[in-house]
Amino acid sequence: MVENPRGQFVTIEGCEGVGKSTNIAFIAESLKKADIPYILTREPGGTPLAEDIRNLFLSPRSERVAENTELLLVFAARAQHIAEVIEPALAAGTWVVCDRFTDATFAYQGGGRGISAAKIASLEQWVQDDLRPDFTLLLDAPIAIGMDRVSKRGELDRMEREHQQFFENVRNSYLEMAAQHGDRYRVIDASQNLCDVQKALSAIISEMLSHANR
C-alpha cells in the first residue's frame, strides 16, 4: 500500500484589515476545484483548548498583559494546535491552510512588542521541531488602509486596539521576513481591488500545486 505524500503547509499572514478571511475562502475554493484535500484553521486557535487560549489572548481587559505572557499564550495554543490538528493532517496527505502561524509571533510579539527574535526562535524550535510552512502568503497593505477597514467591523479586540506605530512595526517585520525567506514567501498587494488580489493568488496557487506534484 502506497502512503499518501505529506500535505503542504500553507500559512496566510498579514496585518489587520488586509482581507485574509475573504482570500482564504478563495484559496479553499481553488484547492477544492483542484481536488486537493485540505483543512482551514487559524492561530491562535484551531482546537477547543487552543480556542479558549485565543479568547484569553484577544479579550480586552483592564489588566496589562505582559509581553512574555502574550508570547507564552501563543505558543501554548500552537503546541496544542500542532499536536491535534496540523501534524495529523499533514501526515495524512491533507493540505493545511492556516490563518497566521509563527511568523505572526515574530511580527507581533517581536516587531510589535520588542521581544527578541532569539527568544521567539527558541520557543519555535522547542514547540515545532522541524515543522515550518511550505509556503507563506503575505497579504500586505498600508496600515492606514487596513485599520480603516477594521474600524468598520464593530468592536475591536485587544490587539486591534493597538496604536498605529505598533502596526507599522508589525508590517515592517513581515516585510523583512519576506525579504529573508523568499523561497517560501509570496507577497500580494492587498491594497488592490479584490479581483486583482485574487488574480495574483491564482498564479501563486498554480505554483504551489506545481511544487506539490514534483
Side-chain angles (χ1 to χ4, degrees), residues 4-10 37-39 81-82 84-97 101 130-134:
N4 288 332
R6 186 173 171 84
Q8 295 285 292
F9 185 23
V10 181
Y38 70 90
I39 60 168
H81 192 201
I82 291 169
E84 295 298 314
V85 174
I86 296 175
E87 275 294 357
L90 293 174
T94 300
W95 285 40
V96 175
V97 179
F101 194 61
D130 295 330
L131 177 66
R132 300 294 185 276
D134 295 293

Side-chain angles (χ1 to χ4, degrees), residues 23-173:
N23 288 301
I24 286 171
F26 176 80
I27 293 167
E29 184 61 27
S30 299
L31 294 178
K32 183 178 179 181
K33 288 178 181 176
D35 291 324
I36 299 294
Y38 70 90
I39 60 168
L40 302 182
T41 190
R42 68 177 182 178
E43 289 222 338
T47 81
L49 174 56
E51 289 291 333
D52 286 345
I53 296 172
R54 178 188 180 89
N55 289 335
L56 282 173
F57 181 84
L58 290 177
S59 294
R61 61 188 71 246
S62 57
E63 178 184 8
R64 188 184 81 85
V65 180
E67 288 81 1
N68 284 337
T69 303
E70 222 179 63
L71 180 64
L72 291 169
L73 282 171
V74 168
F75 272 104
R78 184 164 296 138
Q80 187 72 6
H81 192 201
I82 291 169
E84 295 298 314
V85 174
I86 296 175
E87 275 294 357
L90 293 174
T94 300
W95 285 40
V96 175
V97 179
C98 190
D99 182 349
R100 295 205 171 113
F101 194 61
T102 309
D103 287 347
T105 310
F106 280 103
Y108 281 79
Q109 283 68 51
R113 299 289 186 220
I115 296 175
S116 74
K119 182 182 287 187
I120 299 170
S122 67
L123 287 169
E124 177 185 39
Q125 187 60 42
W126 180 46
V127 169
Q128 298 172 215
D129 291 323
D130 295 330
L131 177 66
R132 300 294 185 276
D134 295 293
F135 282 93
T136 298
L137 281 52
L138 174 62
L139 292 161
D140 177 64
I143 297 303
I145 291 176
M147 295 314 294
D148 180 62
R149 294 171 179 171
V150 169
S151 68
K152 296 172 183 176
R153 293 179 188 166
E155 187 175 356
L156 303 181
D157 65 35
R158 187 177 65 85
M159 296 299 288
E160 290 169 343
R161 297 181 183 195
E162 283 294 341
H163 51 83
Q164 180 160 337
Q165 188 57 53
F166 173 87
F167 291 114
E168 296 288 357
N169 294 340
V170 170
R171 184 189 182 203
N172 289 338
S173 183

